[in-house]
Amino acid sequence: MARASVGSGTVVEAGAILHPAVTVGKNCYVGSNAVLSHSVIGDHVKIGAGSVIGEPGFGFEMTGDGAVRIPHIGIVLIADSVSIGSCCAIDRGSLDNTIIGEHVMIDNLCHIAHNVTIGPRSIISGQCGISGSATVGTGVAMGGQVGVAPHVCIGDGAVLTARSGVTKNVDAGEQVAGFPATSSRQFWRDQAVIRRLSKAKSSGS
């Protein structure tokens, strides 16, 4: 059975588990109690304590007997200089691979589902969830608790403000807010109208 491969200068903290055939590059850091399987990790990558990378995703088909899990045969590919916080989950691909580009920064408590692609230099803040087969472009910024629906495409340089619920594609350079996420300008105009209507109702009662 193939053993895990660990590059020179890499630190693996106490309790971390590297399953067979995992490859970790040079000068990486794997935090305490992290679990790595079905993954190829580049150089200068930081993985926080308790993160789980390479487990099967939440893929299933409904049958007469209920949900049946779909086998996953893809892996997780993590490019150089990626930073992954503590207690994150990055699922292996089902048919394709899950891909994290260079210099991506992922905060604590994030979930990245199977077959997701995240472009270089994107920033994913705490408690974000990216559903299966979503594509995130280069230089995208996600605020805390953003949720992205399956198969959605986020264009390069887009900004998803905190707690946005993204249910459809976002154009490159666009800034969105709210649920369902819409243009930030439109969202804040709508909020201003709601506040004015609320004040008018209160003063008239």
Side-chain angles (χ1 to χ4, degrees), residues 46-62:
K46 177 188 177 296
I47 299 170
S51 286
V52 179
I53 298 174
E55 287 294 306
F58 194 59
F60 60 90
E61 289 288 340
M62 293 302 299

Side-chain angles (χ1 to χ4, degrees), residues 55-79:
E55 287 294 306
F58 194 59
F60 60 90
E61 289 288 340
M62 293 302 299
T63 71
D65 297 321
V68 176
R69 283 192 173 274
I70 298 172
H72 285 60
I73 61 174
I75 63 173
V76 177
L77 298 174
I78 297 178

Side-chain angles (χ1 to χ4, degrees), residues 22-69:
V22 165
T23 298
V24 181
K26 299 176 182 178
N27 301 313
C28 294
Y29 175 86
V30 181
S32 302
N33 301 315
V35 180
L36 278 58
S37 63
H38 305 99
S39 52
V40 175
I41 295 166
D43 300 332
H44 307 285
V45 173
K46 177 188 177 296
I47 299 170
S51 286
V52 179
I53 298 174
E55 287 294 306
F58 194 59
F60 60 90
E61 289 288 340
M62 293 302 299
T63 71
D65 297 321
V68 176
R69 283 192 173 274

